[in-house]
Amino acid sequence: MRVFMVLLALLALPCQGLEVAPKHWWVGMQNPDVQLLLHAPNTAQRQWQLRPYDGVKLMRQHHLDFDNYQFLSVHIGAQARPGTLQFVADDGAQFDYQLKARAHDSKQRQGFSSDDVIYLINPDRFANGNVHNDNHPSMIEKVDRQARDGRRGGDLQGITERLDYLKRMGFTQLWLTPARENNMATGSYHGYAMTNLYAIDPRMGGNEAYFDMVAQAAERGIGVIMDMVPNHIGANHPWVADKPSRDWINNGGEFLANNHRRQTVMDPHSSVYDRTRFNDAWFVPAMPDLNQRVDELSTYLIQHSIWWIEQAGLSGIRVDTNSYSDKAFMARWSQAIMAEYPNFSIVGEEWTTNPGIIAYWQRGKHNQDGFSTGINSMMDFPLQAALVKALNEEPGWHTGWVRVYQSLGNDFMYANADDLLVFADNHDMSRIYTQLGQSVNKTKLAMTLMLTIRGIPQVYYGTEVLLDNTPSDAHGDIRIEFPGGFSGHQADAITGQGLSAEQTQMQGYLRTLLQLRKQHSALRQGRMVHFAPKDNVYLYARIDNEQRIVVILNKGGKQHLALAPYTEILQGAKQAKNLLSGEVLRLNQTLAIGAEQAMILALQ
């Protein structure tokens, strides 16, 4: 063996064209094993050796169906130290591989929680900080600001330059729709058809711009959540034409339309046909569906997620099309991440108004089929739908605020309703101002609810200045340019220049809500007590050991609210301070509240 290694050392040359993933790894991880995926023409014909390195062993090498890929299984023991591993092959090829030291307290990083408020951004539509990266010679699609689904040129520098604004407003977490490479011919701005899972799109500024943005956000107390898509890739991903195995992509690499019957995952009566048509069929033709039942692919997807968390310093992950992936893989994926980062946060997207389906995917839920996941948060689509209906319809036995009341009443289904992500709108639906018929007062009521109830609030960019996609509900129009983020804009949301009186008012109102939530622990962590709505009024309280705060939402005309039904939360309080106006109110027999107004009362 020693003679063999000496000969390899003499013959070894850097392996041209060899791609290795993950790009590097770390010592001291909870899981001591890492799988290296090697990609180069006919690389599977090579036999590799690892030059001696204390604490590190090459345990196995193998390939699947095709010779352009090879897998090396490496064990990194507890005694291993940061440094450079050297791999040499029997044909003289070699490559170096870096083992890095982890950042201080990386394992103990804190995820997002109900103490946070998340700001959701489509990077291409938010702000253009560097016009020189609008187009890139290796990227197919170019900037076209006139096309509905065209690229606008927004980038990570544009976001970084506006972090101070986000801090002033009161946001503490930033969720970007995917910024990774999306080298598709059309519609690439949305980011969900990725073509390189380890690279930030160069039109966004590349990896270093992303790392810089995360670091600068952290300096301002803002965490960053990465949008990940384990279910599928873009049709221009190299795996489509050159894959490691025949079954790497579902349905033999050919498009099969998904039935979108998400309940088949947990339905005890579902047919194999329907379950397969949901799990294995493709979301759309441009997004080939990955087969996570292939163990090597499952490991690849887990490792790439951990790589981004560790390398970038993330505080959370948002999982796109959560239920479309193989559910056994999703359990393995989420549990592997949480084993490395016990205080981390993951939020899953399951777009349904059925709370039972959403509850199935949350960590701690005892499911009939024994399924268990590591995902702590899910997006509360039932509440979002109930809110819009409540504000747009006349009150009745089953309508108006009762819809919100009943939606929150379903919290018994969830393992932890306080960990649900609550939102009035997002990047896949019309903006809340649009959904509410361009009513400023209704929009204020919606945002008051979302920032004062249980859960983790998420606000879509531009909501604070009433961005509107009327009359179109096309995605390209929903994801409108942020005012002041691009050349030619007359209005600027950061400076306030050119905003209408209503936009300025809304921006100030949302800032006030964000600051109140920050200042009052009960609004973030207090238990919730709510009362059946009556006469267009919905009243609830948030209560902790320090505070009792009452929220009153009136979507009707001016009223005098009788206080007798609410004695259990008033507990003899004689007065309350309206945190929105600063006015101190006497709590006698009735309380006056204006038409389409909200009150946030701190009981005294």
Side-chain angles (χ1 to χ4, degrees), residues 171-189:
F171 297 106
T172 59
Q173 296 283 339
L174 182 57
W175 159 24
L176 274 58
T177 57
R180 279 177 285 174
E181 182 188 284
N182 206 281
N183 199 10
M184 302 291 287
T186 58
S188 66
Y189 78 96

Side-chain angles (χ1 to χ4, degrees), residues 188-464:
S188 66
Y189 78 96
H190 64 72
Y192 287 98
M194 298 180 199
T195 53
N196 187 335
L197 301 186
Y198 279 97
I200 298 296
D201 199 298
R203 294 164 296 188
M204 294 285 175
N207 285 20
E208 292 306 316
Y210 187 83
F211 301 149
D212 178 64
M213 180 200 70
V214 176
Q216 292 207 39
E219 291 177 2
R220 294 161 173 82
I222 299 173
V224 175
I225 301 164
M226 177 173 272
D227 207 327
M228 291 194 175
V229 192
N231 179 67
H232 53 259
I233 52 176
N236 287 345
H237 192 289
W239 284 343
V240 175
D242 180 18
K243 45 187 171 286
S245 67
R246 293 183 179 88
D247 57 353
W248 200 258
I249 296 174
N250 278 323
N251 198 46
E254 298 295 328
F255 173 69
L256 176 67
N258 199 292
N259 62 13
H260 301 289
R261 300 296 183 185
R262 50 186 37 83
Q263 71 272 15
T264 60
V265 174
M266 63 287 295
D267 178 3
H269 314 296
S270 66
S271 64
V272 173
Y273 173 83
D274 286 337
R275 288 198 305 272
T276 302
R277 193 64 182 258
F278 176 68
N279 282 128
D280 294 359
W282 296 20
F283 200 74
V284 294
M287 298 175 178
D289 201 75
L290 295 174
N291 180 9
Q292 300 106 352
R293 291 181 294 273
V294 176
D295 185 68
E296 292 83 355
L297 174 56
S298 175
T299 300
Y300 181 99
L301 294 171
I302 290 169
Q303 288 183 169
H304 111 275
S305 300
I306 292 172
W307 188 90
W308 280 107
I309 297 169
E310 190 75 21
Q311 180 66 25
L314 303 177
S315 63
I317 289 172
R318 182 261 186 182
V319 188
D320 183 68
T321 55
N322 179 86
S323 63
Y324 286 75
S325 294
D326 178 77
K327 74 176 184 180
F329 159 76
M330 287 306 299
R332 180 187 170 194
W333 175 84
S334 58
Q335 290 166 8
I337 291 172
M338 297 309 296
E340 294 289 354
Y341 310 100
N343 303 318
F344 196 67
S345 295
I346 304 172
V347 56
E349 178 203 31
E350 174 62 321
W351 196 337
T352 176
T353 57
N354 183 338
I357 294 177
I358 292 175
Y360 178 87
W361 292 100
Q362 190 181 27
R363 184 176 67 199
K365 176 69 172 179
H366 298 289
N367 291 307
Q368 186 180 33
D369 62 1
F371 175 76
S372 179
T373 180
I375 296 175
N376 64 299
S377 178
M378 295 294 296
M379 299 176 68
D380 197 345
F381 281 96
L383 180 61
Q384 190 279 333
L387 172 65
V388 172
K389 289 180 180 178
L391 287 170
N392 280 335
E393 64 190 10
E394 291 301 315
W397 187 252
H398 294 295
T399 58
W401 283 125
V402 170
R403 292 189 184 274
V404 172
Y405 175 75
Q406 291 176 336
S407 182
L408 290 166
N410 287 327
D411 280 359
F412 70 90
M413 297 187 188
Y414 301 111
N416 186 356
D418 290 336
D419 273 349
L420 296 178
L421 188 145
V422 297
F423 57 101
D425 59 4
N426 68 17
H427 59 296
D428 286 327
M429 60 179 65
S430 284
R431 291 177 170 277
I432 187 62
Y433 181 58
T434 305
Q435 293 187 63
L436 297 177
Q438 299 172 305
S439 168
V440 176
N441 284 342
K442 287 182 179 180
T443 303
K444 286 182 177 181
L445 289 173
M447 299 313 298
T448 304
L449 179 89
M450 286 300 165
L451 288 167
T452 58
I453 58 164
R454 59 87 176 127
I456 305 166
Q458 168 248 294
V459 177
Y460 192 27
Y461 79 95
T463 297
E464 70 270 30

